[in-house]
Amino acid sequence: MTSTGIRLHAPAPGWSIDADVVVVGSGVAGLTAALRCEAAGLSTVVVTKARLDDGSTRWAQGGIAAALGEGDTPEQHLDDTLVAGAGLCDEEAVRILVTEGPDAVRRLIATGAAFDTDDEGGIELTREGGHHRRRIAHAGGDATGAEISRALVEAVRARGMRTVENALVLDLLTDADGRTAGVTLHVMGEGQHDGVGAVHAPAVVLATGGMGQVFSATTNPSVSTGDGVALALRAGAEVSDLEFVQFHPTVLFLGPDAEGQQPLVSEAVRGEGAHLVDADGVRFMIGQHELAELAPRDIVAKGIMRRMHEQGAEHMYLDARHFGAEMWEHRFPTILAACRAHGIDPVTEPVPVAPAAHYASGGVRTDSHGRTTVPGLYACGEVACTGVHGANRLASNSLLEGLVYAERIAADIAASHAENALHARVPEPVPYPQTPEHPLQPAEARFAIQRIMTAGAGVLRSADSLQQAAEQLQRLHSEARDALDENGKTAEPGVDTWEATNLLCVGRVLVAAARLREETRGCHWREDAADRDDANWRRHIVVRLNPDRTLAVRTTDTADFPPTRQHRPSQEQ
């Protein structure tokens, strides 16, 4: 795979750092990879867009899934994951996840993460949608992500690891042979480094999180603008399954015009016995699935949307008044505080909820060691598509996937280092272009993109809505491209314009894949193709960016992931 030669318009790097590995992102995936690389003796630099503890991990409420309970087995966890993935999980990837997961969680505990325990001192487990057993470990009631983030950040700081905070990664650097040579980045604000610089390294780990900000309403923080997927596409990497965006069924409804990050009402609330009801108090999920409110998320989201359409309502309700004040305060203090901050008291009234963009099941395509189709570039966590999630992520598998695959990436990089494969020479990046390589979107395009994506590629999609979205996104793309080609002008480089450009990139790919997949599967819901079509569509959609900025879209032959065909340099002929 060769690079597209496309880079964001940005000043040339004014400073640089050399390292063995640069990890981009500071969630569970990024910090786990960094800690394991550092422990293997690799010089490691962590780059993160905000502060170390400001990633998506800290927002995770429910917990981390693993077969830790009595009577539970990895095989049962595998079965639940495959069912949720609606025929598109890569079984090898899932088996790796569920078999390596329990020990990975134990290593996380050894790192310092403190999970809630029962009266006997064992890990307290709960249930979430799609799980037939209690296998969700949680911390602080509903603050699991915050506790995991705290433990990992403390471990990174205790080791004195080099970090660059408040830094937006821009593009991958490659050498003349197309191998990874580091990244360019822009540091926002004052510090040891400022402005555009570079980290030179023969291994780059993308752990940049999701792209929920491509929609108007999302549970994702404002930094989740698809930067890692967009960078990978410009570098020539393949992405897969981007049409499968999971809309969390129960997000606190703040009004029809609410935009940006919305408070999540964890699935664990339903796992502990809360009911989904309409305005009349009717439990509408009963009879729609054997697990009712604890069906996989795509089924619950669709059930809510159908009821909303039937009744002309803007939201449904989650009723957990029967919990009582003590349980709310002990088990779900974070959610209770968020609801009360918006004038809703779950102890005495049902909570208004509606689906909102939550998690990207697809992303940068990797193999079982986290290797992408670009030599030296790895990806893990939400930015990656390992094949674990298929068409719909099973609840609380995301933290586990970040943990397990980050460890596998670190092991692969360490093995390469031991073989002297990655360090036979210092990578020499190709010269940075002096002219704009990629037109930038104006900052205000961000809101236009979000409105287009919400209207045309949200929970419910159709050929017509997706065509309109594609045309509107193409118009934004063409206007910027034409201005650049005609007079060399583009929007002023800066965080807002880089983020808007990345959002447009991932939005175009998502819509292209969603238009091609003419069926309903998992969290991809086509009202004009309501049935699952295994004969034609039990396969993956793979997209890459062409040098002329068009998209190359193809389907795989089967539901199995094709190899990335990336080998260690010492193994190549």
Side-chain angles (χ1 to χ4, degrees), residues 444-480:
E444 58 270 20
R446 176 177 184 141
F447 305 104
I449 295 164
Q450 290 173 334
R451 288 190 290 270
I452 291 167
M453 293 297 294
T454 298
V459 180
L460 187 57
R461 305 164 178 176
S462 68
D464 289 343
S465 75
L466 289 165
Q467 180 178 344
Q468 290 179 21
E471 291 172 352
Q472 292 169 328
L473 294 176
Q474 182 61 36
R475 190 175 304 119
L476 292 175
H477 175 74
S478 298
E479 288 171 355

Side-chain angles (χ1 to χ4, degrees), residues 267-292:
E267 198 153 317
V269 178
R270 281 175 280 139
E272 296 292 350
H275 304 144
L276 279 167
V277 299
D278 60 21
D280 298 321
V282 176
R283 289 181 64 187
F284 55 87
M285 284 304 299
I286 293 177
Q288 293 199 37
H289 190 274
E290 61 168 334
L291 295 176

Side-chain angles (χ1 to χ4, degrees), residues 230-246:
L231 174 150
L233 283 162
R234 290 191 295 271
E238 294 181 345
V239 303
S240 184
D241 297 359
L242 221 61
E243 69 272 30
F244 296 117
V245 175
Q246 187 176 83

Side-chain angles (χ1 to χ4, degrees), residues 59-63 127-130 212 215 217-220 244-253 262-271 276 293-305 308 314-316 318 332 335 351-361 382 392-398 458-459 461 522-523:
W59 298 100
Q61 295 173 345
R127 276 184 69 197
E128 290 185 355
F215 295 98
T218 177
T219 62
N220 290 192
F244 296 117
V245 175
Q246 187 176 83
F247 285 76
H248 198 288
T250 55
V251 175
L252 187 62
F253 181 75
Q262 314 286 304
L264 176 67
V265 182
S266 171
E267 198 153 317
V269 178
R270 281 175 280 139
L276 279 167
E293 285 95 349
L294 284 177
R297 288 178 177 174
D298 63 307
I299 294 171
V300 179
K302 290 169 187 174
I304 291 174
M305 292 297 294
M308 286 165 56
E314 294 178 322
H315 61 82
M316 290 288 110
L318 190 64
F332 301 110
I335 299 170
V351 179
V353 293
H358 182 56
Y359 190 89
S361 293
E382 191 173 354
N392 183 43
R393 174 178 67 94
L394 181 66
S396 289
N397 268 358
S398 51
V459 180
R461 305 164 178 176
C523 50

Side-chain angles (χ1 to χ4, degrees), residues 138-437:
H138 49 83
D142 60 355
T144 310
E147 171 58 18
I148 291 174
S149 180
R150 179 205 62 77
L152 292 174
V153 168
E154 285 189 6
V156 165
R157 288 176 173 158
R159 292 199 178 191
M161 196 178 299
R162 191 163 195 175
T163 62
V164 183
E165 296 179 287
N166 301 308
L168 170 63
V169 67
L170 299 175
D171 280 300
L172 189 75
L173 293 172
T174 54
D175 64 15
D177 295 323
R179 302 186 189 283
T180 293
V183 292
T184 56
L185 61 155
H186 173 77
V187 179
M188 302 167 273
E190 297 180 0
Q192 184 178 356
H193 301 287
D194 194 12
V196 175
V199 181
H200 296 147
V204 171
V205 180
L206 292 179
T208 52
M211 55 183 196
Q213 290 290 327
V214 79
F215 295 98
S216 296
T218 177
T219 62
N220 290 192
S222 62
V223 295
S224 298
T225 51
D227 308 319
V229 172
L231 174 150
L233 283 162
R234 290 191 295 271
E238 294 181 345
V239 303
S240 184
D241 297 359
L242 221 61
E243 69 272 30
F244 296 117
V245 175
Q246 187 176 83
F247 285 76
H248 198 288
T250 55
V251 175
L252 187 62
F253 181 75
L254 300 180
D257 299 322
E259 294 184 338
Q261 187 178 10
Q262 314 286 304
L264 176 67
V265 182
S266 171
E267 198 153 317
V269 178
R270 281 175 280 139
E272 296 292 350
H275 304 144
L276 279 167
V277 299
D278 60 21
D280 298 321
V282 176
R283 289 181 64 187
F284 55 87
M285 284 304 299
I286 293 177
Q288 293 199 37
H289 190 274
E290 61 168 334
L291 295 176
E293 285 95 349
L294 284 177
R297 288 178 177 174
D298 63 307
I299 294 171
V300 179
K302 290 169 187 174
I304 291 174
M305 292 297 294
R306 286 194 188 98
R307 197 66 158 192
M308 286 165 56
H309 288 159
E310 289 170 4
Q311 299 187 342
E314 294 178 322
H315 61 82
M316 290 288 110
Y317 293 92
L318 190 64
D319 191 353
R321 289 174 291 180
H322 53 284
F323 284 5
E326 183 177 351
M327 181 173 174
W328 268 109
E329 291 166 2
H330 171 73
R331 182 67 179 84
F332 301 110
T334 306
I335 299 170
L336 178 63
C339 289
R340 285 177 170 171
H342 292 282
I344 300 157
D345 189 348
V347 177
T348 60
E349 60 186 315
V351 179
V353 293
H358 182 56
Y359 190 89
S361 293
V364 185
R365 190 167 75 82
T366 74
D367 65 9
S368 61
H369 297 280
R371 296 178 291 214
T372 73
T373 51
V374 175
L377 179 65
Y378 297 78
C380 57
E382 191 173 354
V383 70
C385 185
T386 63
V388 160
H389 303 308
N392 183 43
R393 174 178 67 94
L394 181 66
S396 289
N397 268 358
S398 51
L399 291 176
L400 190 71
E401 184 201 31
L403 195 62
V404 168
Y405 281 87
E407 291 189 340
R408 293 180 70 83
I409 285 172
D412 192 76
I413 295 173
S416 297
H417 177 80
E419 295 170 7
N420 202 33
L422 287 178
H423 293 265
R425 56 185 171 75
V426 176
E428 287 289 339
V430 295
Y432 205 79
Q434 298 299 310
T435 56
E437 289 290 321

